[in-house]
Amino acid sequence: MNITGKLLCTAVAFTFATEAAATEWNVSVWGKRRAFTEHIHKIADLVSEKTGGEFTMNISYGGLSKNTENLDGISIGAFEMAQFCAGYHADKNRAITVLELPFLGVANLDEEVAVSHAVYAHPAVAEEMAQWNARMLMTSPMPQYNLVGTGEPRDELAEFDGMRVRATGGLGKAFTAVGGVPTSVTSSEAYQAMESGVVDTVAFAQHAHLSFGTINQAAWWTANLNPGTVNCPVVVNIDAYDALSDAEREALDSSVDEAIAYYLENYGALLKQWDDVLEEKGVTKVMISDEELAKFKDVGGKPIHDAWIAEMSAQGLPAQELYDLVFSTLEAKRASN
């Protein structure tokens, strides 16, 4: 072979080696790009930047899986990374449902990040997620959920009796405790459920009321009900994570805190605009009295906490330990501020 041929072969071999070295992950989310997914876009940007474009992520909104099946997709390796919410399949992720208990008293998004990541790091959570070939990466912190509703505003607990509400997980149990009738339609189906009268009210965080259009059906909004929130982790497929090079794994892991910080900054801007959105759309802001809130907590708080601890303990989970971890983390977080 002449020198030109040898150089050509070397160039081709180098090209193949370069192509083989590149890592491309598919990421399954749902809906459309919104405050809830900004940390996923940020971590994709950071990872690509840190690896010189050798590790990239393709973020798909509903093109890879239904939102309720993202954990199943991770388990079979259909994609490498996904977001899901615990309330979509509480039986598959029992340990983290402690974070969806109503009236935990989490005051802001910083505290939500702290308690979520503390629970995610617990061995019982890692063990349960490993059954789905999933590894926790980061949370998708959301503020306390509140209701938007049709018809006359509901500002007394008695008015929740018979109320048809879109609420999942612990929130659904809290509304059941006061006579509500929860349905767990997915976030993508909430607008249609409200429009068709299947539900009277929808419990969401602010970004979701905007993104999924439920605010456009609303006559009123409970500004201070604050019954709890849902917990929505971002997970990665264990096999895909283990297959990363040391540099790629470092790029991914070291980008979590910055991605979360970006999410919090972005979400903070949205919250500042929320009152303007309500005014623009003619939505009445409903303030629940302290007396009515206390009644709700009495029936929709501790009894549900106690029942969760008993049920999960009976299933072999360290429920009390997980529950106590939430409150010790809150205490430590507040002490550090």
Side-chain angles (χ1 to χ4, degrees):
M1 183 181 292
N2 61 33
I3 189 70
T4 304
K6 287 179 180 177
L7 288 172
L8 182 59
C9 287
T10 302
V12 169
F14 179 77
T15 299
F16 284 149
T18 303
E19 288 177 354
T23 298
E24 190 174 335
W25 274 14
N26 289 316
V27 184
S28 182
V29 293
W30 66 90
K32 61 184 180 182
R33 185 169 178 173
R34 57 202 188 282
F36 179 66
T37 58
E38 279 305 306
H39 57 328
I40 296 173
H41 287 273
K42 184 64 174 178
I43 205 166
D45 290 344
L46 290 169
V47 164
S48 178
E49 180 184 323
K50 289 177 180 179
T51 61
E54 289 299 305
F55 181 7
T56 57
M57 297 178 183
N58 299 319
I59 302 168
S60 172
Y61 284 87
L64 298 172
S65 173
K66 293 180 181 178
N67 48 359
T68 52
E69 296 173 3
N70 271 344
L71 189 54
D72 298 290
I74 284 287
S75 71
I76 61 172
F79 33 82
E80 290 79 20
M81 185 166 152
Q83 189 176 35
F84 68 86
C85 293
Y88 286 162
H89 34 61
D91 58 320
K92 295 178 180 177
N93 43 239
R94 299 163 301 162
I96 63 170
T97 59
V98 66
L99 295 162
E100 294 197 336
L101 289 173
F103 298 111
L104 288 175
V106 177
N108 53 52
L109 293 181
D110 282 327
E111 291 185 358
E112 184 66 32
V113 172
V115 296
S116 293
H117 285 175
V119 169
Y120 292 178
H122 193 283
V125 173
E127 183 180 345
E128 187 170 44
M129 285 295 100
Q131 296 172 19
W132 302 98
N133 207 15
R135 175 190 174 91
M136 292 294 204
L137 182 66
M138 59 182 174
T139 190
S140 309
M142 283 186 284
Q144 294 289 294
Y145 270 34
N146 271 286
L147 297 175
V148 299
T150 56
E152 290 298 312
R154 301 176 193 245
D155 58 4
E156 294 181 3
L157 214 60
E159 295 167 340
F160 290 179
D161 190 24
M163 179 181 73
R164 295 166 299 165
V165 56
R166 185 275 175 191
T168 61
L171 290 181
K173 291 179 180 177
F175 285 116
T176 298
V178 294
V181 183
T183 177
S184 57
V185 297
T186 67
S187 51
S188 303
E189 299 165 329
Y191 176 89
Q192 186 177 0
M194 201 172 181
E195 184 182 41
S196 63
V198 170
V199 298
D200 311 305
T201 58
V202 171
F204 269 157
Q206 288 91 329
H207 78 273
H209 283 305
L210 291 170
S211 181
F212 295 106
T214 46
I215 193 67
N216 300 318
Q217 291 287 327
W220 49 271
W221 149 265
T222 59
N224 67 329
L225 185 61
N226 299 340
T229 190
V230 300
N231 194 263
C232 302
V234 177
V235 295
V236 297
N237 173 277
I238 289 174
D239 295 333
Y241 181 83
D242 289 346
L244 294 175
S245 68
D246 290 344
E248 289 169 338
R249 197 175 301 111
E250 168 62 19
L252 179 65
D253 292 343
S254 67
S255 297
V256 169
D257 287 347
E258 189 174 346
I260 289 287
Y262 178 80
Y263 177 110
L264 296 177
E265 180 183 356
N266 184 72
Y267 211 114
L270 182 150
L271 292 178
K272 287 178 182 176
Q273 299 166 6
W274 182 246
D275 282 347
D276 293 338
V277 171
L278 296 179
E279 185 176 349
E280 174 194 326
K281 296 183 179 297
V283 177
T284 300
K285 185 189 287 189
V286 175
M287 295 295 290
I288 313 293
S289 72
D290 290 344
E291 183 183 359
E292 292 297 313
L293 287 174
K295 288 181 191 175
F296 197 2
K297 289 178 183 177
D298 283 345
V299 296
K302 192 171 187 306
I304 292 172
H305 296 189
D306 292 343
W308 182 88
I309 292 169
E311 181 184 355
M312 293 300 128
S313 296
Q315 295 179 27
L317 286 174
Q320 187 68 55
E321 195 176 313
L322 289 164
Y323 182 77
D324 291 344
L325 177 60
V326 171
F327 293 98
S328 63
T329 302
L330 278 177
E331 187 178 342
K333 176 68 177 173
R334 290 165 184 170
S336 70
N337 289 340

